Amino acid sequence: MTLRPAVWLPLAILPVMLLIFEPTGLDFYLQDIVWDPTGGGHWVIDAHAEWPRLLFYRIPRWIVMGAGVSAVLVWLAGFRIESCRCWRRRSLFVALSIALVPGAVGALKASTNVHCPTQLTRYGGDEPYDGIAARLFHPVETATRGRCFPAGHASGGFALLALGWIAETRRFRLVGWSFGLLAGTVLGAYQMAKGVHFMSHTLATMLLAIAITAGLATVIWPNRLAVPNMDA
């Protein structure tokens, strides 16, 4: 089994990205664009605005959950229905990707103790800046525990990178990967616009999703450089 560059390269890029975005203030520069300090301060998108929340939070979650459930049903049907047999391995891959990417990101969010921009004193909150790289150079004490790194909501969109790995042609693989990247980016941008995440949080989730889906593809199809044919 050959470890794909798509597995180890994103993991190698991740710490480099953090050491560029956090100490240089690039995260702050980008976040300031969507923050208006006048009148007590507010974000480009109100976190309580119903239509943006419906379009960029609830509906995408339903779609990702629906895709995961559908993949599990197709996988189960593959044991009983001959026409579904050829989709069994691919449906399992999609279901596992949709479970593992958000699961891994959620586990990291619970342990990294990084706060959201909206919780920071710079943006009207009560906590000092406590990014991952910042902790290495200037450890800070915080009153509450943060749960904002990596970006959780975007992980559902980036999990759809799995669609690229199950395609049979180069063209459709690129379409699938592009769709997953776009979905995760849009969901991450929504969270940035309402002050929930820095750009580095979303990029970290993207890199983790690439590594996880590529690693899972290596496990499920260990002898293939691309994706399966119609075999089970």
Side-chain angles (χ1 to χ4, degrees):
M1 181 172 67
T2 303
L3 195 63
R4 293 181 171 94
V7 179
W8 58 263
L9 187 57
L11 298 179
I13 293 174
L14 179 56
V16 177
M17 182 272 295
L18 291 176
L19 290 172
I20 292 175
F21 269 77
E22 292 186 3
T24 62
L26 185 55
D27 260 338
F28 282 137
Y29 173 79
L30 295 172
Q31 203 66 33
D32 286 348
I33 296 174
V34 294
W35 167 254
D36 184 353
T38 61
H42 60 273
W43 299 99
V44 168
I45 294 180
D46 184 349
H48 303 291
E50 186 58 32
W51 280 107
R53 183 171 178 81
L54 178 65
L55 292 175
F56 299 109
Y57 195 87
R58 291 177 181 161
I59 290 178
R61 288 189 70 180
W62 296 337
I63 291 173
V64 173
M65 289 175 62
V69 171
S70 298
V72 171
L73 293 176
V74 172
W75 175 68
L76 292 173
F79 291 96
R80 306 282 301 204
I81 302 173
E82 186 62 31
S83 60
C84 294
R85 181 178 174 83
C86 60
W87 289 91
R88 196 169 64 193
R89 195 177 297 185
R90 281 174 286 179
S91 60
L92 176 63
F93 173 77
V94 171
L96 288 175
S97 295
I98 291 176
L100 290 176
V101 172
V105 169
L108 286 172
K109 280 165 61 72
S111 60
T112 52
N113 190 23
V114 173
H115 290 82
C116 305
T118 192
Q119 296 175 294
L120 304 181
T121 54
R122 182 186 182 100
Y123 301 112
D126 300 318
E127 299 292 349
Y129 178 60
D130 58 346
I132 293 294
R135 289 177 181 278
L136 298 177
F137 302 105
H138 304 288
V140 295
E141 294 292 332
T142 58
T144 61
R145 188 167 183 82
R147 289 181 55 89
C148 287
F149 179 87
H153 183 50
S155 66
F158 287 127
L160 297 179
L161 286 164
L163 299 177
W165 288 105
I166 67 172
E168 294 184 39
T169 66
R170 179 179 177 83
R171 178 181 179 182
F172 284 108
R173 285 197 290 273
L174 291 175
V175 169
W177 288 327
S178 297
F179 180 79
L181 290 174
L182 179 61
T185 299
V186 169
L187 299 185
Y190 166 69
Q191 295 291 76
M192 277 188 63
K194 65 177 190 173
V196 177
H197 290 297
F198 285 116
M199 174 67 80
S200 63
H201 298 185
T202 298
L203 290 178
T205 297
M206 179 190 74
L207 292 169
L208 288 170
I210 293 172
I212 291 170
T213 54
L216 187 58
T218 301
V219 171
I220 291 182
W221 299 291
N223 299 319
R224 297 182 184 275
L225 294 178
V227 189
N229 294 318
M230 298 297 287
D231 58 322

